[in-house]
Amino acid sequence: MATIASSYNPREIDNTNDIPGRRAPLITGNQTYTSVTEMVCRVAEDPQPKIWWILFGFSSLTAVMFLSLIAFLIYKGVGIWGNMSPVFWAWPIVNFVFWVGIGHAGTLISAILFLFRQNWRTSINRAAEAMTIFAVICAGIYPGIHVGRAWLAFWLLPYPSLNLWMWPQFRSPLLWDVFAVGTYASTSLVFWYMGMIPDLATYRDRSKSPFRRMVYSLLCLGWTGSSRHWLVYEKAYTILAALAAPLVLSVHTVVSFDFAVSQLPGWHTTIFPPYFVAGAIFSGFAMVVTLLVPMRKIYKLENLITLRHLDNMNKIILATGSLVGLAYGTEFFMAWYSQNQYESFTFINRAFGPYWWAYWIMVTCNVISPQLFWFKWMRTNVVAMWIVSIFVNIGMWFERFVITVTSLSRDFLPASWGYYNPTMYDGLMFFGSFGVFMTLYLLFCKFLPTIAISEVKGVMAASEHAAHVEAELLGEAHGHGHHGAGH
Amino acid sequence: MTNPIKQSHINFETTVSNNSMSLQYDKETIVLPSQWKNKSPILFAAGLALLVTGAVFALFTQGADKSDGAAAFKFVTHSYLANFMYVMTIALGALFFILVQFVARAGWSTSIRRIAELIMSTIPFLAVLFVPIIVLLYANSDALYEWNVRENVHSSVIKAKIDVGYLTKNYFTLRAVLYFGLWALMGAWFYSQSRKQDESGDIEHSLLRQKWSGPCIMIFALSASFAAFDWVMSIDADWFSTIFGVYLFAAGMMAFFATMILINAGLQKAGKLQNLVSVEHFHDMGKFMFGFIMFWSYIAFSQLLLYWYGNIPEETYWFAVRLKDGWQYLSYGLIPLHFAIPFLGTMSRHVRRNRPGLVFWAIWVLVVHWLDMTFLIMPNAGPFSLIPLAGHLLGGLGMLLIFFAFFLVRATNVPLVPMRDPRLPESLTYANPIL
C-alpha cells in the first residue's frame, strides 16, 4: 500500500494538451508498473465502499422488479404495454435500439481505436467493453419478450421446424438483426474475455483465499505470461480487433434496416445506416462517460482514467453529435427536396405535431447540448461533462422514440391515426432494464479487472520523462526537475 | 550527473522545434526544382488537348450514332462533369485529410502531409474548371442540368424546386461560389500556416490549426454534402437520396489515398523524400485506402439495398436507368471491380508493404473511381455506347493531366515535407506493430 500512498494523486491534472512534438502523459501521478497493478487490483481486493453496496442493493432490487415484470408480461400478454394500433412498435423496440446503440462504444474503443493506434483507449477499453456486453444483454431481452409468446422466441433462429418444414423469413431485416446482434454479442464477449486473460492471471497471483485463487485460475486459462503466450495473445488480439471493427458498423446498420427498408415516411431514407452508426457511437460514449466519471472517483482511479481520456471521449461525443445533427438536417432538407408530400408531412409533424415535445427534447439533448463541448472547460470539468452525458442518454432515447412513434402514429391513412401512450409497465420495465445493466456493471467492478492493467503498462512513457512532463503541467517545473530521481 | 532524457526536454517550448531541426536533409531530396514547374504548362496543354479531342470525338461519334446534335452535346457536358468530379473529389479528400490530421493531433502523417496540402491547394484552380458549367447554365442550356430551362421541364417535382428558387442558375452559382470560397479559404489558410511553420518552426502554427480544424470539419461536412446534391444529384432533379453526399465523400477519400500513394511513390522514384517517407507511411496509406474501399462499398450497398427493398418507383428508376441500355455491365461490374477485387487485393499487409503491389492497387482504385463517376453521371446522358465513351475516357485522362499540372504548379520550389513541424520526428520514427 505504500506504493499507492506515494503515487496516487487525487489532484486533477490537466494532461489534455499536447505541446506539438511532445505527447503529454496518458496516466498521471508518477506511476510505476507496481503502482498501476496495485491501483487496479485493489478495486476488487479491498472491501467495496459503502456507495457500492447502496447502488448494488438498489439496482439488484430494480433488476428483480424487471424480471418479475417479465414474468407478469409472459403470464398476462403484451397487452399490458401501451402498444396499440397503429403504433405496434413502441417502447419495446425503442428500448431495444437504445440499448444496442449504447452497446457500441466498447467495441469501437477496443477494436477501431486499437486499429487507429489510439493509445488512450487502454485505460477505458475494459470498462467500456463490459458495459457494451451488459447493454447488449438488456437490448436482447426486448425482442425476446416482444414476440408475445416468449417461450417460442427460439423460432427466430433458423432451423427447420420438424412438422411444417418452415424457416424464418430470411428477407426480413428483423431476422438479420438476430444474426447481427448475435454475432456482435458473441464477438464482443470473446474479445472482452480474451483481453482480460493476462489481468485475470494477475488477480489469480494476488489471491489470498484458495477459492478465489481457484476461480481466477480457471478463468485465466493457465496464463503464465511467457513470451510465447504474449505473442499468441497479441496476434489473436489484432485479428479479433480486425474482425470486430466491421461489426461495430454492421450491427446498427442492420438495426437501421429494420426501419429503412420499409416504405414508411421518416423511416425509408438512405442515410439511415451511417446515421444510426454515428448515433450509436454517440450514445455509447455518453454512457461510458456517465459510468466512468463516478467510477474513477469512487475507486480513486483518477490517475489512470485521466482528464485526457475524458476530454477525448467528449470530443468524440461532440463529433458524433454533430454528425447526428447533420443527418437530422439532411433528412429534413430531403423531405422538402423530394417534394414527397408524405415525407414532408412526417417531418413537419415530428417537429410541430402532437409529439413536438419529444422532437425538441431530442434536438436539444443530441444536437445542442454536445455543442457545449466546444469549450475546453466543459470537456475537462467532470461535473459538467457528466450532466451533458446524461442529456445525451436522454436525447438518444428520445431519438428512437421520435423515429418509431411519430412515423407510426400518423401514417398514410388519417383514419387510422392515433396517439400512443405508454403504460405503467412500459415505464417500470424500461427503468428495470437499468437495474439489470447496473447490477451487472457493479458485479464487474467487484470481481473483474476494471482497467486493462497490461495494456496501460504498455503505453506508460518512460517514467522519468512522464514525471517531468507532469511536473511542468502542474507548474512545478523548477523544484521538481532536480530531485526527480526520487520518484 | 547529466541525464540525457531530461536534458533534451528542458524548456521544451523552445527546444522541441530546434530538436526537429537537427534533422538535416539535402535540399535536393525535398524540393522539386523549377524545371518541374516548366513541365506543368506542357502537361496542362496536353491535358486540355485530350479533353478537347475527347469532346470532339464524342460529339462526332455520338452524333453520328444518333444523328442528334443535342444528344451528343448532352453526352459531352455530362462527360465533362464526370471527369471534373473525378478530380474534384480527390482534392476534397485532401482537404478533409488535412483537417482530420489536426483535429486528431496526428503525428504519423506529418512527413506525407505536405503532399496532401499541395493537392488541397489545387482547389482554386479546380474552381476555374467549374466555370464552363456555370457558363453553360447562363447560356440557358439544359443539356446538363434539366432544371435550367423551366419551359422544357415536365415534372412538377422539379418545377416546385425551380419555383422556390433552389434549382435556378443564380442560386446554384451562388452556392457554388460559396462552396469553392469556403474550401479555398480553408485550404489556403491551412497551407499558409504550414508554410509559415517552415520558416519559423513555431509550434503556434500547429496549435492554431488544431484549434480551427474542428469548426472547419463542420463547414466541410455541410458544404461537401450540399455540393454533391447540387452538382451531381441534381442532374436528375427528380431523384433524391439522403446518403448521396456521404457516397461521394467515401469515393473521394478512397481515390485521395490512391493519389497520395502514387504521388509519394513517384516522388521517391524521382529521388525525392528519401528517408522521409517510409514503408510505414505507405502501409498506413494502404490501410486507409483499403478502409475506404470498404466504406464506399458499405455506403453504395446501403443506398442500393434500401431503394431496392422499398421498391418505390420514384426512387428505383435511378437504378433502373443504370441497369439497362448497356449500362448494366458497368453497374454490375462495379461490384467486383470497385469492391470485391480491390477489397481482397489490398487486405493483406504484405501487399500494403510491397511498393509495386500497392502502386498497382492505387492505379486500380483510380481507374474504378473514374468508372464510378461515369456510373453516377453518364447514364443520364443516354444509352451506353462504347465509341463515344472512348472520348469520355480521353477526357478523363486529360482531366487527370490537368490536375497533375495544377499539382506541379503548387509543388515546385516548396519543401515537400514540413521540415520544421514539431511532430515530424514522431512521423519519422513510428512503426506498425510487427506480426
Side-chain angles (χ1 to χ4, degrees):
Chain A
M1 289 305 284
T3 331
I4 296 179
S6 65
S7 61
Y8 173 63
N9 185 348
R11 191 166 152 191
E12 293 282 12
I13 297 162
D14 184 4
N15 59 341
T16 58
N17 268 341
D18 278 332
I19 301 297
R22 183 88 183 278
R23 296 292 179 191
L26 280 169
I27 56 173
T28 57
N30 304 339
Q31 303 304 327
T32 60
Y33 287 169
T34 320
S35 67
V36 170
T37 308
E38 284 288 334
M39 246 181 207
V40 180
C41 289
R42 72 173 169 193
V43 172
E45 287 168 358
D46 288 1
Q48 290 298 322
K50 199 177 276 170
I51 181 83
W52 187 92
W53 288 102
I54 296 169
L55 286 172
F56 183 73
F58 183 71
S59 41
S60 55
L61 279 176
T62 316
V64 168
M65 175 192 76
F66 184 50
L67 298 177
S68 322
L69 284 171
I70 291 175
F72 182 63
L73 176 95
I74 292 170
Y75 167 73
K76 197 82 177 170
V78 288
I80 63 168
W81 281 336
N83 302 26
M84 37 80 88
S85 169
V87 187
F88 298 102
W89 266 14
W91 278 35
I93 197 91
V94 172
N95 298 342
F96 162 72
V97 182
F98 172 77
W99 280 116
V100 168
I102 286 175
H104 271 64
T107 309
L108 181 109
I109 291 172
S110 42
I112 293 190
L113 295 189
F114 175 73
L115 296 178
F116 277 90
R117 293 196 294 267
Q118 296 297 306
N119 287 338
W120 59 276
R121 63 184 264 291
T122 50
S123 293
I124 53 169
N125 64 348
R126 178 68 46 72
E129 284 170 46
M131 177 220 73
T132 284
I133 289 161
F134 307 146
V136 171
I137 290 172
C138 291
I141 292 172
Y142 273 98
I145 57 177
H146 191 191
V147 292
R149 296 183 175 89
W151 54 94
L152 294 178
F154 66 92
W155 282 7
L156 287 165
L157 300 171
Y159 78 102
S161 74
L162 291 174
N163 301 325
L164 299 169
W165 205 252
M166 283 199 305
W167 295 83
Q169 173 57 282
F170 283 107
R171 278 178 289 185
S172 165
L174 296 175
L175 183 66
W176 309 342
D177 247 355
V178 176
F179 302 144
V181 177
T183 315
Y184 184 70
S186 46
T187 310
S188 302
L189 190 67
V190 171
F191 200 19
W192 177 57
Y193 175 60
M194 216 210 75
M196 262 190 309
I197 288 174
D199 298 345
L200 286 170
T202 307
Y203 271 34
R204 172 198 62 192
D205 297 344
R206 292 167 57 98
S207 297
K208 296 210 170 63
S209 89
F211 176 71
R212 197 179 163 95
R213 191 178 182 82
M214 187 190 73
V215 172
Y216 286 121
S217 299
L218 286 173
L219 284 176
C220 74
L221 307 177
W223 178 268
T224 62
S226 75
S227 54
R228 188 176 164 76
H229 279 181
W230 277 112
L231 190 73
V232 174
Y233 171 87
E234 296 283 340
K235 262 193 188 171
Y237 200 91
T238 309
I239 292 169
L240 270 176
L243 288 175
L247 284 177
V248 179
L249 272 80
S250 71
V251 180
H252 232 55
T253 296
V254 173
V255 170
S256 81
F257 287 166
D258 292 346
F259 300 90
V261 297
S262 73
Q263 297 182 335
L264 198 66
W267 288 10
H268 180 65
T269 184
T270 49
I271 207 165
F272 254 40
Y275 149 47
F276 264 51
V277 172
I281 295 166
F282 179 53
S283 67
F285 270 85
M287 189 56 96
V288 176
V289 171
T290 308
L291 291 175
L292 287 189
V293 164
M295 182 178 132
R296 71 198 273 276
K297 186 89 196 154
I298 292 169
Y299 292 120
K300 299 193 167 55
L301 294 170
E302 293 101 326
N303 294 150
L304 297 182
I305 301 168
T306 62
L307 284 183
R308 184 181 185 80
H309 299 93
L310 299 171
D311 179 58
N312 283 349
M313 284 195 278
N314 292 335
K315 283 178 180 168
I316 290 179
I317 290 174
L318 171 60
T320 46
S322 305
L323 270 178
V324 165
L326 179 66
Y328 296 161
T330 308
E331 277 189 316
F332 232 103
F333 169 78
M334 215 51 86
W336 167 78
Y337 183 89
S338 68
Q339 291 290 312
N340 177 323
Q341 54 176 322
Y342 303 106
E343 200 75 32
S344 315
F345 169 79
T346 296
F347 280 92
I348 290 169
N349 183 50
R350 275 186 186 173
F352 305 107
Y355 292 103
W356 62 271
W357 47 273
Y359 184 83
W360 293 108
I361 289 174
M362 169 187 96
V363 170
T364 313
C365 293
N366 285 355
V367 185
I368 298 171
S369 79
Q371 303 304 322
L372 292 170
F373 284 149
W374 283 109
F375 304 103
K376 188 171 172 176
W377 60 267
M378 281 297 296
R379 293 199 305 270
T380 50
N381 181 309
V382 285
V383 177
M385 76 175 82
W386 195 75
I387 293 169
V388 171
S389 78
I390 298 284
F391 269 100
V392 173
N393 286 321
I394 295 171
M396 282 309 289
W397 187 86
F398 270 95
E399 180 194 291
R400 279 64 175 254
F401 177 84
V402 165
I403 291 170
T404 311
V405 174
T406 60
S407 280
L408 283 173
S409 68
R410 291 189 161 184
D411 62 2
F412 300 102
L413 251 186
S416 72
W417 287 3
Y419 188 87
Y420 166 82
N421 279 310
T423 63
M424 173 185 87
Y425 297 100
D426 282 299
L428 285 177
M429 287 181 86
F430 179 53
F431 184 67
S433 63
F434 277 94
V436 172
F437 179 73
M438 282 310 296
T439 306
L440 291 170
Y441 193 78
L442 289 165
L443 290 173
F444 158 73
C445 294
K446 182 162 162 56
F447 292 111
L448 293 172
T450 42
I451 287 179
I453 308 171
S454 57
E455 291 196 56
V456 169
K457 288 178 183 171
V459 302
M460 276 167 70
S463 57
E464 219 158 351
H465 167 102
H468 192 80
V469 174
E470 185 172 318
E472 276 162 353
L473 290 171
L474 287 167
E476 297 162 0
H478 296 294
H480 208 104
H482 298 298
H483 50 84
H487 296 258
Chain B
M1 202 173 79
T2 51
N3 181 331
I5 301 172
K6 210 172 277 175
Q7 226 168 28
S8 67
H9 290 294
I10 285 171
N11 301 325
F12 64 91
E13 284 193 67
T14 53
T15 49
V16 165
S17 48
N18 294 339
N19 278 350
S20 67
M21 276 323 290
S22 61
L23 296 157
Q24 287 301 329
Y25 278 89
D26 205 354
K27 188 171 180 251
E28 287 215 337
T29 70
I30 56 162
V31 176
L32 279 180
S34 302
Q35 61 257 38
W36 283 82
K37 199 171 212 154
N38 301 339
K39 288 183 184 170
S40 101
I42 304 166
L43 281 172
F44 181 78
L48 201 62
L50 277 178
L51 203 59
V52 172
T53 317
V56 172
F57 182 77
L59 211 52
F60 277 100
T61 50
Q62 180 84 344
D65 266 12
K66 305 283 176 296
S67 60
D68 177 2
F73 185 59
K74 193 171 177 163
F75 183 92
V76 171
T77 55
H78 280 73
S79 164
Y80 184 82
L81 178 69
N83 289 329
F84 169 77
M85 288 311 295
Y86 179 47
V87 295
M88 189 69 220
T89 44
I90 297 173
L92 285 178
L95 173 60
F96 182 75
F97 177 77
I98 294 300
L99 298 177
V100 166
Q101 299 319 300
F102 284 99
V103 89
R105 301 171 178 172
W108 72 276
S109 59
T110 311
S111 74
I112 55 166
R113 208 186 59 224
R114 176 59 49 80
I115 305 296
E117 286 170 352
L118 294 169
I119 300 175
M120 165 185 86
S121 305
T122 60
I123 289 177
F125 297 136
L126 293 177
V128 177
L129 293 182
F130 197 72
V131 169
I133 292 171
I134 302 295
V135 170
L136 193 69
L137 290 178
Y138 278 91
N140 283 327
S141 162
D142 60 353
L144 182 55
Y145 292 108
E146 53 178 339
W147 44 261
N148 195 35
V149 182
R150 195 183 187 284
E151 297 82 61
N152 300 344
V153 172
H154 304 298
S155 154
S156 61
V157 168
I158 304 179
K159 277 182 186 158
K161 286 185 261 194
I162 297 171
D163 291 342
V164 293
Y166 189 76
L167 290 181
T168 57
K169 54 180 177 261
N170 287 340
Y171 283 99
F172 180 91
T173 310
L174 190 69
R175 288 198 300 273
V177 169
L178 187 71
Y179 305 146
F180 272 116
L182 289 169
W183 299 334
L185 199 69
M186 291 191 287
W189 186 78
F190 273 81
Y191 182 58
S192 76
Q193 287 295 318
S194 193
R195 293 287 286 127
K196 279 181 192 157
Q197 198 168 46
D198 282 352
E199 302 302 320
S200 68
D202 192 348
I203 58 168
E204 198 53 37
H205 297 300
S206 296
L207 293 172
L208 257 180
R209 277 177 289 173
Q210 268 169 218
K211 185 176 170 189
W212 288 103
S213 53
C216 284
I217 284 184
M218 307 272 272
I219 294 170
F220 174 87
L222 262 179
S223 54
S225 296
F226 276 84
F229 299 153
D230 278 4
W231 299 352
V232 185
M233 204 169 79
S234 88
I235 59 172
D236 194 338
D238 274 313
W239 192 72
F240 52 88
S241 172
T242 40
I243 210 174
F244 204 78
V246 187
Y247 183 105
L248 275 180
F249 164 76
M253 288 309 291
M254 180 199 69
F256 161 72
F257 282 108
T259 312
M260 281 289 278
I261 289 167
L262 290 180
I263 291 181
N264 278 290
L267 286 170
Q268 284 209 329
K269 202 157 186 204
K272 309 293 167 193
L273 307 178
Q274 305 298 336
N275 303 326
L276 283 162
V277 177
S278 69
V279 67
E280 307 300 335
H281 298 106
F282 280 99
H283 186 178
D284 278 346
M285 288 188 283
K287 282 184 209 166
F288 272 113
M289 189 171 78
F290 170 73
F292 277 102
I293 289 169
M294 253 207 289
F295 188 64
W296 176 91
S297 312
Y298 163 62
I299 296 297
F301 172 73
S302 298
Q303 177 171 276
L304 172 69
L305 178 90
L306 294 180
Y307 276 175
W308 170 78
Y309 208 122
N311 205 14
I312 298 173
E314 56 258 44
E315 295 168 353
T316 51
Y317 82 91
W318 190 87
F319 287 102
V321 169
R322 282 155 182 78
L323 291 175
K324 62 177 187 191
D325 296 335
W327 289 114
Q328 66 269 34
Y329 303 111
L330 173 62
S331 307
Y332 288 128
L334 284 179
I335 299 169
L337 296 177
H338 204 305
F339 164 56
I341 298 172
F343 171 74
L344 295 172
T346 53
M347 189 183 257
S348 157
R349 65 182 266 127
H350 302 293
V351 175
R352 298 195 284 248
R353 293 178 80 85
N354 171 296
R355 188 66 55 85
L358 193 60
V359 165
F360 170 80
W361 288 111
I363 293 171
W364 180 291
V365 159
L366 279 188
V367 172
V368 293
H369 180 51
W370 181 80
L371 288 178
D372 181 30
M373 292 302 115
T374 305
F375 158 81
L376 283 182
I377 293 167
M378 295 311 289
N380 277 62
F384 180 89
S385 62
L386 200 58
I387 293 167
L389 277 173
H392 171 53
L393 176 62
L394 283 185
L397 289 173
M399 198 64 93
L400 212 51
L401 283 185
I402 291 174
F403 186 47
F404 191 56
F406 291 161
F407 173 77
L408 280 187
V409 170
R410 303 312 306 239
T412 20
N413 290 328
V414 294
L416 296 170
V417 173
M419 289 308 288
R420 300 186 73 178
D421 189 299
R423 292 213 166 106
L424 187 61
E426 186 181 337
S427 177
L428 297 180
T429 50
Y430 89 99
N432 281 288
I434 302 156
L435 279 175

